[in-house]
Amino acid sequence: MSRATASRVNPTEFAILGLLAEQPRSGYDIKKEVEERLGHFWSESYGHIYPMLKRLRSRRLITAKPSERRAGRPARQVYAVTAAGRRALTAWFERPPMAPRPRNELLLRLLLGRFAPAGVLRRDVAAYRARAHEGLVRLRAVQLELDAAASDDLDYERVVLAFGIALYTTLGRWCADAEAMLAERG
Amino acid sequence: MSRATASRVNPTEFAILGLLAEQPRSGYDIKKEVEERLGHFWSESYGHIYPMLKRLRSRRLITAKPSERRAGRPARQVYAVTAAGRRALTAWFERPPMAPRPRNELLLRLLLGRFAPAGVLRRDVAAYRARAHEGLVRLRAVQLELDAAASDDLDYERVVLAFGIALYTTLGRWCADAEAMLAERG
DNA sequence: CGCCGCATGTAAGAGGTTACATGATTCG
DNA sequence: CGAATCATGTAACCTCTTACATGCGGCG
């Protein structure tokens, strides 16, 4: 009755749950995995991961157990999803993704460009282009690896990769055009 | 001394400051302007705008005065930037934009695709494509308007518009490919 | 009369980052 | 020995959204 709560879902929670569904990991591993595999379109900080692990555990969506001692490495907790955790993961997929809150500071700056001191926008666009280029280089390297291994399991990785490559390529081209416009002006 | 504070800047603050630099506006106007002109790449809520206006005012970066009565409209506060406000705006341009925290839930879902119930990802990608298409249609309409008015002042608007069009076009294409892959699989 | 658009604001709380605290082990 | 990597966590704080509260005036 009364208020239909339902909706509230925290995507970070499900990023963690999903990574743990792939295989058991520690908080540290999760952070690494996010950086290496999802870095181009996702991010998490320790200060968010650890409290979230605690919370997921208190809801019995994951379990923790200390890993067996590995030669000269500090102790670590390894987390794994429970059956309830997998159900929660499925339920998350069921509801559509939240519309992202758009927030592109570079475009905000450009739109307010008449108030910008000379040169700063060119600098910013150039930096943006450098990032896009760097991203593209890295993703192409990943692409080589993926092309080598022909497995259907990797179709999802491939489609995500294709997104990144298409995006960085487009951004790079746009930056070049934008820089040309800015150069003409100033 | 001790800690070098310096860096902390809130982009919302400067979005507001920038819009007020263009012309004096009320909180309501700011919200409208953000939605209409920046909606594709920026967003703000009343719950953030009003407290921020208060804060900017307490720092003397903006001033407030009640608007003259307009036929049958409620009273409103109109805010305008001070000289100090313009300096703060310039200082903001001086420092490079913050790197955005990447957070694309659709890609997260795709990467965890093996855990998704059948069909949901196709649904999500289709919705994404629909949004891209809708965005593209709207921006093309804006483009027609902009092309009509040939003014250098609008170069910034044009370059931002070009960004949106390039992005939505790329996203639409990628979605089509992604849907093809998903259809093949399931 | 009730709803819609205009208009301003607050309170609670979610979500997330940064900085800090701690400590083991490996490598140069 | 010092630096780097591995590893876990907490506390303070910022940012921002949602839901709520309030009220005017016009229109059907």
Side-chain angles (χ1 to χ4, degrees):
Chain A
M1 27 252 75
S2 63
R3 223 152 273 307
T5 311
S7 276
R8 273 303 123 242
V9 270
N10 180 332
T12 291
E13 201 170 295
F14 288 96
I16 293 176
L17 223 39
L19 288 178
L20 294 182
E22 289 185 349
Q23 58 176 271
R25 304 176 202 266
S26 67
Y28 192 81
D29 288 343
I30 289 170
K31 172 74 166 148
K32 279 280 158 299
E33 195 70 15
V34 167
E35 273 169 18
E36 282 162 28
R37 197 147 58 102
L38 295 69
H40 298 270
F41 56 86
W42 201 261
S43 66
E44 299 293 348
S45 65
Y46 286 127
H48 203 197
I49 290 171
Y50 283 112
M52 199 55 86
L53 284 169
K54 206 173 183 178
R55 187 166 121 186
L56 287 168
R57 201 185 164 192
S58 80
R59 293 204 214 137
R60 317 235 177 256
L61 300 179
I62 61 175
T63 56
K65 70 170 184 184
S67 74
E68 53 248 41
R69 212 84 185 59
R70 292 151 315 135
R73 288 291 169 69
R76 50 183 355 228
Q77 289 290 316
V78 174
Y79 298 89
V81 282
T82 62
R86 290 193 185 265
R87 283 195 298 276
L89 190 57
T90 302
W92 172 66
F93 273 110
E94 229 74 79
R95 51 179 69 255
M98 316 184 314
R101 172 172 52 114
R103 228 104 212 280
N104 185 323
E105 191 176 330
L106 180 65
L107 295 189
L108 176 63
R109 280 167 182 255
L110 281 170
L111 214 73
L112 299 174
R114 12 188 301 229
F115 305 111
V120 297
L121 294 181
R122 257 177 294 170
R123 175 203 64 187
D124 294 344
V125 173
Y128 204 78
R129 181 154 68 131
R131 273 213 304 282
H133 182 257
E134 205 189 312
L136 194 55
V137 167
R138 281 205 239 179
L139 290 187
R140 283 213 213 282
V142 176
Q143 196 175 33
L144 286 179
E145 286 174 50
L146 271 181
D147 284 351
S151 154
D152 282 5
D153 281 3
L154 298 174
D155 278 354
Y156 292 118
E157 315 263 347
R158 269 187 254 279
V159 77
V160 168
L161 184 68
F163 182 99
I165 288 177
L167 190 67
Y168 283 137
T169 303
T170 298
L171 294 183
R173 258 203 300 271
W174 171 82
C175 285
D177 293 351
E179 284 175 76
M181 183 283 268
L182 292 170
E184 231 178 272
R185 279 204 136 226
Chain B
M1 12 251 87
S2 62
R3 229 151 270 305
T5 311
S7 277
R8 275 303 122 240
V9 269
N10 181 333
T12 291
E13 202 169 293
F14 289 94
I16 293 176
L17 223 39
L19 289 177
L20 294 182
E22 288 184 349
Q23 61 176 271
R25 304 176 202 266
S26 67
Y28 193 83
D29 289 342
I30 289 169
K31 170 76 166 147
K32 281 278 157 302
E33 195 70 15
V34 167
E35 273 169 17
E36 281 161 30
R37 197 148 58 101
L38 295 70
H40 297 270
F41 57 85
W42 202 260
S43 67
E44 298 293 348
S45 65
Y46 287 125
H48 203 198
I49 290 171
Y50 284 112
M52 199 56 87
L53 285 169
K54 205 173 183 179
R55 187 166 120 185
L56 287 169
R57 201 186 164 191
S58 80
R59 293 204 214 140
R60 317 232 178 260
L61 301 180
I62 62 175
T63 56
K65 73 170 181 186
S67 74
E68 52 250 40
R69 213 87 182 56
R70 292 148 317 135
R73 290 289 172 71
R76 46 175 11 223
Q77 290 291 315
V78 175
Y79 298 89
V81 281
T82 62
R86 290 193 185 267
R87 282 195 298 276
L89 191 56
T90 301
W92 172 67
F93 273 110
E94 230 71 83
R95 54 179 67 254
M98 316 183 314
R101 172 170 55 114
R103 227 99 212 280
N104 186 322
E105 190 177 331
L106 181 64
L107 294 189
L108 175 63
R109 279 166 182 255
L110 282 169
L111 213 72
L112 299 174
R114 16 189 298 229
F115 305 111
V120 297
L121 294 181
R122 257 177 293 171
R123 175 202 66 189
D124 295 343
V125 173
Y128 203 78
R129 181 154 66 134
R131 274 213 304 282
H133 182 257
E134 205 189 310
L136 193 54
V137 167
R138 283 205 236 176
L139 290 186
R140 283 213 214 281
V142 176
Q143 195 176 33
L144 287 179
E145 286 174 50
L146 271 182
D147 284 351
S151 154
D152 282 5
D153 281 3
L154 297 175
D155 278 355
Y156 292 117
E157 316 261 346
R158 269 187 254 279
V159 76
V160 168
L161 185 68
F163 182 98
I165 289 176
L167 189 67
Y168 282 138
T169 302
T170 298
L171 293 184
R173 256 203 301 272
W174 171 82
C175 284
D177 293 350
E179 285 175 75
M181 183 282 271
L182 292 169
E184 231 178 274
R185 279 205 137 226

